[in-house]
Amino acid sequence: MLKILQSNLDTIAALPSQYPEEDMPEIACAGRSNVGKSSFINSVLGRKNLARTSSKPGKTRTLNFYRVNEDFRFVDLPGYGYAAVSKSEKAKWGEIIEAYLSSRKNLREVLLIVDIRHKPTEQDIQMYDWIRSYGYKGIVIASKADKISRGRHAKALSEIAKTLHVEDMSTIIPYSSVTKWNLERILEKMEQILL
């Protein structure tokens, strides 16, 4: 199984000209502004404050490239769907995400983080469709799994699958950044992606 031995911030970019070299595979991470994306990245990479968690959702307005084990990058895409942001700002985030998804040759997969407690939003559906349209599987991470009882997981996951039109249930992984429940499954999935 994949072991995360080291990770650090490699590059912060808004434009393709600022991206790092396409010299190693990349796995990107997408999700709404307040869905716990930074907490997910920190817990999977085993670092406390690598990805900055913010009390103000929608803070990530750039692509943050994290170099992991010196052999792949984890890329944090700008959070979307935060209400207190202007239309032009939202459009800009969309352009940043689209430019990356459409041009990055070494991008292997995109993980979509959703909140297990809530039905995916219109924007989640749009993001998932977008990811799929670029030819990626679109692994869905149902975060905050510690916030509901295990007995409610199956129902919540089938709701997510139904809303996003996910055909393969094995591509939805419930996860808790707090307890790191299912971390092994995520690392195994990442290892398969990087092979």
Short mmCIF file of all heavy atoms in Angstrom, two decimals, residues 39-40 43-44 142-148 150 153 174-184 186:
data_model
loop_
_atom_site.label_atom_id
_atom_site.label_comp_id
_atom_site.label_asym_id
_atom_site.label_seq_id
_atom_site.Cartn_x
_atom_site.Cartn_y
_atom_site.Cartn_z
N SER A 39 -8.85 19.81 5.20
CA SER A 39 -8.73 18.80 6.27
C SER A 39 -8.47 17.43 5.65
O SER A 39 -7.68 16.64 6.18
CB SER A 39 -10.01 18.74 7.11
OG SER A 39 -10.26 20.00 7.68
N PHE A 40 -9.16 17.13 4.55
CA PHE A 40 -8.96 15.86 3.85
C PHE A 40 -7.51 15.73 3.37
O PHE A 40 -6.85 14.72 3.62
CB PHE A 40 -9.92 15.76 2.65
CG PHE A 40 -9.61 14.62 1.72
CD1 PHE A 40 -9.93 13.31 2.08
CD2 PHE A 40 -8.98 14.85 0.50
CE1 PHE A 40 -9.62 12.25 1.22
CE2 PHE A 40 -8.68 13.79 -0.35
CZ PHE A 40 -9.00 12.49 0.01
N SER A 43 -5.10 15.28 6.29
CA SER A 43 -5.17 13.97 6.95
C SER A 43 -4.61 12.87 6.07
O SER A 43 -3.93 11.97 6.56
CB SER A 43 -6.59 13.67 7.43
OG SER A 43 -7.37 13.13 6.42
N VAL A 44 -4.85 12.93 4.76
CA VAL A 44 -4.32 11.89 3.86
C VAL A 44 -2.80 12.01 3.74
O VAL A 44 -2.08 11.01 3.72
CB VAL A 44 -4.99 11.97 2.46
CG1 VAL A 44 -4.27 11.10 1.45
CG2 VAL A 44 -6.45 11.54 2.56
N ALA A 142 -16.78 10.80 0.28
CA ALA A 142 -17.89 11.30 1.11
C ALA A 142 -17.31 11.63 2.48
O ALA A 142 -17.15 10.76 3.34
CB ALA A 142 -18.98 10.24 1.21
N SER A 143 -16.94 12.91 2.65
CA SER A 143 -16.22 13.32 3.86
C SER A 143 -17.17 13.50 5.06
O SER A 143 -18.39 13.44 4.91
CB SER A 143 -15.47 14.63 3.60
OG SER A 143 -16.37 15.71 3.57
N LYS A 144 -16.55 13.72 6.21
CA LYS A 144 -17.27 13.96 7.48
C LYS A 144 -18.11 12.74 7.88
O LYS A 144 -19.18 12.87 8.48
CB LYS A 144 -18.13 15.23 7.40
CG LYS A 144 -17.29 16.45 6.95
CD LYS A 144 -18.02 17.75 7.07
CE LYS A 144 -17.14 18.88 6.55
NZ LYS A 144 -17.69 20.21 6.73
N ALA A 145 -17.58 11.55 7.56
CA ALA A 145 -18.31 10.30 7.86
C ALA A 145 -18.46 10.05 9.35
O ALA A 145 -19.33 9.29 9.77
CB ALA A 145 -17.62 9.11 7.19
N ASP A 146 -17.63 10.72 10.16
CA ASP A 146 -17.74 10.57 11.62
C ASP A 146 -18.93 11.34 12.18
O ASP A 146 -19.32 11.16 13.33
CB ASP A 146 -16.45 11.05 12.30
CG ASP A 146 -16.09 12.47 11.90
OD1 ASP A 146 -15.75 12.69 10.72
OD2 ASP A 146 -16.14 13.37 12.75
N LYS A 147 -19.53 12.22 11.36
CA LYS A 147 -20.62 13.08 11.83
C LYS A 147 -21.99 12.40 11.79
O LYS A 147 -22.96 12.93 12.29
CB LYS A 147 -20.70 14.36 10.99
CG LYS A 147 -19.41 15.15 10.95
CD LYS A 147 -19.36 16.18 12.04
CE LYS A 147 -18.32 17.23 11.75
NZ LYS A 147 -17.41 17.48 12.83
N ILE A 148 -22.06 11.23 11.14
CA ILE A 148 -23.33 10.47 11.17
C ILE A 148 -23.03 9.04 11.61
O ILE A 148 -21.88 8.58 11.49
CB ILE A 148 -24.07 10.47 9.80
CG1 ILE A 148 -23.23 9.79 8.70
CG2 ILE A 148 -24.47 11.87 9.37
CD1 ILE A 148 -23.99 9.55 7.39
N ARG A 150 -22.74 4.99 11.69
CA ARG A 150 -22.41 4.01 10.65
C ARG A 150 -23.66 3.43 10.00
O ARG A 150 -23.67 3.12 8.82
CB ARG A 150 -21.58 2.85 11.23
CG ARG A 150 -20.17 3.22 11.65
CD ARG A 150 -19.20 3.14 10.49
NE ARG A 150 -17.90 3.64 10.91
CZ ARG A 150 -16.87 2.87 11.21
NH1 ARG A 150 -16.98 1.56 11.16
NH2 ARG A 150 -15.71 3.41 11.55
N HIS A 153 -24.75 5.29 6.92
CA HIS A 153 -23.82 5.43 5.79
C HIS A 153 -24.38 4.91 4.47
O HIS A 153 -24.31 5.60 3.46
CB HIS A 153 -22.49 4.72 6.09
CG HIS A 153 -21.60 5.52 7.00
ND1 HIS A 153 -20.36 5.09 7.37
CD2 HIS A 153 -21.78 6.72 7.61
CE1 HIS A 153 -19.81 6.00 8.18
NE2 HIS A 153 -20.67 6.99 8.34
N PRO A 174 -16.56 6.57 1.76
CA PRO A 174 -16.82 7.41 2.92
C PRO A 174 -15.51 7.61 3.70
O PRO A 174 -14.70 6.68 3.78
CB PRO A 174 -17.83 6.59 3.73
CG PRO A 174 -17.66 5.18 3.30
CD PRO A 174 -17.09 5.20 1.91
N TYR A 175 -15.33 8.80 4.24
CA TYR A 175 -14.05 9.09 4.91
C TYR A 175 -14.24 10.07 6.06
O TYR A 175 -15.08 10.96 5.98
CB TYR A 175 -13.05 9.67 3.90
CG TYR A 175 -11.68 9.91 4.50
CD1 TYR A 175 -10.89 8.84 4.90
CD2 TYR A 175 -11.20 11.20 4.69
CE1 TYR A 175 -9.65 9.06 5.48
CE2 TYR A 175 -9.95 11.42 5.26
CZ TYR A 175 -9.18 10.35 5.66
OH TYR A 175 -7.95 10.56 6.23
N SER A 176 -13.41 9.91 7.08
CA SER A 176 -13.38 10.87 8.19
C SER A 176 -11.97 11.41 8.35
O SER A 176 -11.04 10.64 8.60
CB SER A 176 -13.81 10.20 9.50
OG SER A 176 -13.43 11.02 10.59
N SER A 177 -11.81 12.72 8.18
CA SER A 177 -10.49 13.35 8.38
C SER A 177 -10.12 13.35 9.86
O SER A 177 -8.95 13.44 10.20
CB SER A 177 -10.51 14.80 7.88
OG SER A 177 -10.75 14.83 6.50
N VAL A 178 -11.13 13.24 10.72
CA VAL A 178 -10.88 13.28 12.17
C VAL A 178 -10.32 11.94 12.65
O VAL A 178 -9.28 11.89 13.30
CB VAL A 178 -12.19 13.62 12.94
CG1 VAL A 178 -11.97 13.60 14.45
CG2 VAL A 178 -12.71 14.99 12.50
N THR A 179 -11.01 10.85 12.30
CA THR A 179 -10.58 9.53 12.79
C THR A 179 -9.70 8.79 11.78
O THR A 179 -9.14 7.75 12.09
CB THR A 179 -11.81 8.64 13.08
OG1 THR A 179 -12.49 8.40 11.83
CG2 THR A 179 -12.77 9.31 14.05
N LYS A 180 -9.59 9.34 10.57
CA LYS A 180 -8.86 8.71 9.46
C LYS A 180 -9.47 7.36 9.08
O LYS A 180 -8.80 6.48 8.55
CB LYS A 180 -7.37 8.57 9.76
CG LYS A 180 -6.69 9.91 9.97
CD LYS A 180 -5.21 9.83 9.82
CE LYS A 180 -4.62 11.23 9.92
NZ LYS A 180 -3.24 11.28 9.52
N TRP A 181 -10.76 7.20 9.35
CA TRP A 181 -11.45 5.97 8.97
C TRP A 181 -11.48 5.86 7.44
O TRP A 181 -11.79 6.82 6.76
CB TRP A 181 -12.88 5.99 9.54
CG TRP A 181 -13.68 4.78 9.14
CD1 TRP A 181 -13.43 3.49 9.49
CD2 TRP A 181 -14.84 4.77 8.31
NE1 TRP A 181 -14.37 2.67 8.92
CE2 TRP A 181 -15.24 3.42 8.19
CE3 TRP A 181 -15.57 5.76 7.65
CZ2 TRP A 181 -16.35 3.04 7.44
CZ3 TRP A 181 -16.67 5.38 6.90
CH2 TRP A 181 -17.05 4.03 6.81
N ASN A 182 -11.07 4.70 6.93
CA ASN A 182 -10.98 4.41 5.49
C ASN A 182 -9.75 5.01 4.80
O ASN A 182 -9.68 5.03 3.58
CB ASN A 182 -12.25 4.85 4.73
CG ASN A 182 -13.20 3.68 4.54
OD1 ASN A 182 -12.82 2.52 4.70
ND2 ASN A 182 -14.43 3.97 4.18
N LEU A 183 -8.78 5.48 5.59
CA LEU A 183 -7.55 6.02 4.98
C LEU A 183 -6.86 4.96 4.11
O LEU A 183 -6.39 5.27 3.02
CB LEU A 183 -6.59 6.51 6.08
CG LEU A 183 -5.25 7.08 5.58
CD1 LEU A 183 -5.46 8.31 4.68
CD2 LEU A 183 -4.34 7.46 6.75
N GLU A 184 -6.84 3.71 4.59
CA GLU A 184 -6.19 2.63 3.81
C GLU A 184 -6.83 2.50 2.43
O GLU A 184 -6.15 2.36 1.43
CB GLU A 184 -6.27 1.27 4.53
CG GLU A 184 -5.36 1.11 5.71
CD GLU A 184 -5.93 1.76 6.97
OE1 GLU A 184 -7.14 2.10 6.99
OE2 GLU A 184 -5.15 1.94 7.92
N ILE A 186 -8.36 4.74 0.71
CA ILE A 186 -8.00 5.89 -0.13
C ILE A 186 -6.57 5.75 -0.64
O ILE A 186 -6.29 5.97 -1.82
CB ILE A 186 -8.23 7.21 0.63
CG1 ILE A 186 -9.75 7.44 0.73
CG2 ILE A 186 -7.55 8.39 -0.07
CD1 ILE A 186 -10.17 8.57 1.61
#
